[in-house]
Amino acid sequence: MSRKFFFLLFFAFCHLSLKANFVFNANAAEAYKAIFDLRLNDARRYIAEEKRSNPQNGISVLLDNYVDYFHLLTSENKADYIKFKERRAQRIDALEDNDEQSPYYLFAQAEVYLQWGLIKAKFGDYTASTMDLKKAQNLLKKNNEKFGTFLPNQKSMGLIEVVFGAIPSNVKGIADFLGVRGNISTGIKRLETFKSNIKGTKYSFYNDEAIFLLCFMDIDILHRRDSYTKLNSFLDDMGDKSLLRAYLQGYVAFKTGKNDKAISYLENIPKSNLYTPMPTIQYLLGNAKLCRMDKDAPVFLTNYLKEYNGTNYIKDTYLKLAYYYLLKGDMLGYTNYLKLVRTKGYATDEKDKQALKEANEAKPDVDLLKARLYFDGGYYNKALEQIKDKSKDELKSLRDQIELYYRMARIYDRLDIFGQAVLNYQKAINLGKKETFYFAANSALFLGILYEQKNDDAKAKYYYNMTLGMKGHEYQNSIDTQAKEGLARIK
């Protein structure tokens, strides 16, 4: 054997031996579990160990991205976002130098694009977000053609379907330009099927991620308030030491009107330095306690402001503190916090925009405010008690007059008193359809939902279209998205 041939063979062997691969081994599995427990430092240690023992494992690159994704989701720290986002291209490069015959080859690249697409949207980089999500979708389609039985494809394809189906109107132009289309119902069904299909398979470790996604989709996109039992049964499948599970239990309970359960979950959340800090827990607990009129609500709202380094819900939190003092009859505390609503935080998120708007309007009627908070906590009879004898003529501001009808309708809706719900929704529409308050548009939306539930598609379609016909009101993006999804369902 010639020396030249020997060296060629030697370097070829070295190249093959150094060729990266994808192995979801014990270290990777432990890192993944730690990520979904929100033990991010433990996850980093498992990933570091995997890099030492198996430096060519491409799964480590993907897991690194998961850690950054959850760090930014939980902290919402813009400085970290700016610093971390350069890592996306580095990770894609690393993944491209890998085993092209593995079903993880295109999938892992798609996951990096997908996670960064979601994070970029959270930080307001909508054009870059949509482009990353489109790249992820293309890679997943290609991977699904090559490896149709590779179940993880279905998780991510379902998620992108939902995200593209829920694109708000202010980003619609970008999506249309890129030819982006999605369907919320199709995506959620795909994810639910994925969750069922992975049971007992080698992909069963994805169960926690599927639950995480389904909970947020059901609550934040479908806005279902009757899904507590189903989602809570999903959450029972997650590890009992998971901070993510405990937070989701509180979040789902709060959003579905099970406020006492929400407070119990959030007060008993795992507390340890093992877990990544999550200021949102303080925000959620403060809101839940305010809905129950607990005296210690300000403690948790203030904790959120102290612990949080992001940009969202700061104005909203100051407004909640202002309302706490208004309900106590402390006008000095109320006006001081209103000033902070106007001067602190950012008006980018819809909740913060709404908080700023309310801070610049007339003081709300106290009975209406109590009814609103009790309603948000699921205390429907207490909410009704606050306003059942109140008439429109007692209220000075047009906003309060419209809200009276809207609030009555929402309470009767949740109490399943159909006739009174419809009557008051219609009154809110008649009085508020030309105003910028969200009450009329939301009333039309909920009438659409009510008639859809009664299988009266003609009336449902009428009210969903009425919702979309109202422009320039509060919460425009989220209300329009729900109306469009309603129209898609009845087609």
Side-chain angles (χ1 to χ4, degrees), residues 220-233:
D220 290 350
I221 295 176
L222 296 181
H223 299 276
R224 290 173 176 160
R225 288 182 68 91
D226 56 357
S227 55
Y228 175 76
T229 302
K230 181 184 82 171
L231 296 180
N232 211 43
S233 70

Side-chain angles (χ1 to χ4, degrees), residues 213-348:
L213 295 173
L214 286 168
C215 283
F216 278 111
M217 287 173 185
D218 207 286
I219 298 299
D220 290 350
I221 295 176
L222 296 181
H223 299 276
R224 290 173 176 160
R225 288 182 68 91
D226 56 357
S227 55
Y228 175 76
T229 302
K230 181 184 82 171
L231 296 180
N232 211 43
S233 70
F234 286 174
L235 290 165
D236 285 342
D237 287 345
M238 293 179 74
D240 58 7
K241 293 182 179 178
S242 167
L243 177 62
L244 181 61
R245 177 209 189 197
Y247 172 74
L248 287 172
Q249 285 175 319
Y251 185 75
V252 167
F254 177 70
K255 291 290 188 176
T256 54
K258 304 288 189 295
N259 202 54
D260 292 340
K261 288 181 182 291
I263 290 170
S264 178
Y265 282 128
L266 295 168
E267 285 184 328
N268 292 290
I269 218 153
K271 297 176 180 69
S272 164
N273 290 334
L274 291 175
Y275 299 104
T276 193
M278 199 171 178
T280 311
I281 293 167
Q282 301 294 319
Y283 171 80
L284 186 58
L285 184 53
N287 275 272
K289 283 181 166 285
L290 184 61
C291 288
R292 200 168 69 178
M293 310 292 167
D294 287 4
K295 291 181 180 179
D296 60 348
V299 173
F300 302 97
L301 293 170
T302 303
N303 284 346
Y304 174 71
L305 294 169
K306 288 177 182 175
E307 296 175 13
Y308 181 62
N309 292 314
T311 59
N312 292 328
Y313 305 158
I314 294 171
K315 288 185 182 295
D316 182 69
T317 302
Y318 281 122
L319 183 69
K320 298 295 172 53
L321 286 163
Y323 284 162
Y324 171 83
Y325 287 102
L326 175 61
L327 294 174
K328 277 184 64 179
D330 182 344
M331 294 307 296
L332 180 61
Y334 170 65
T335 54
N336 283 341
Y337 276 108
L338 280 189
K339 289 175 185 174
L340 293 172
V341 178
R342 298 183 192 115
T343 57
K344 301 287 187 179
Y346 305 85
T348 50

Side-chain angles (χ1 to χ4, degrees), residues 156-174:
S156 301
M157 289 173 75
L159 174 56
I160 289 178
E161 190 80 33
V162 172
V163 171
F164 283 164
I167 281 180
S169 55
N170 62 325
V171 189
K172 195 74 170 61
I174 303 167

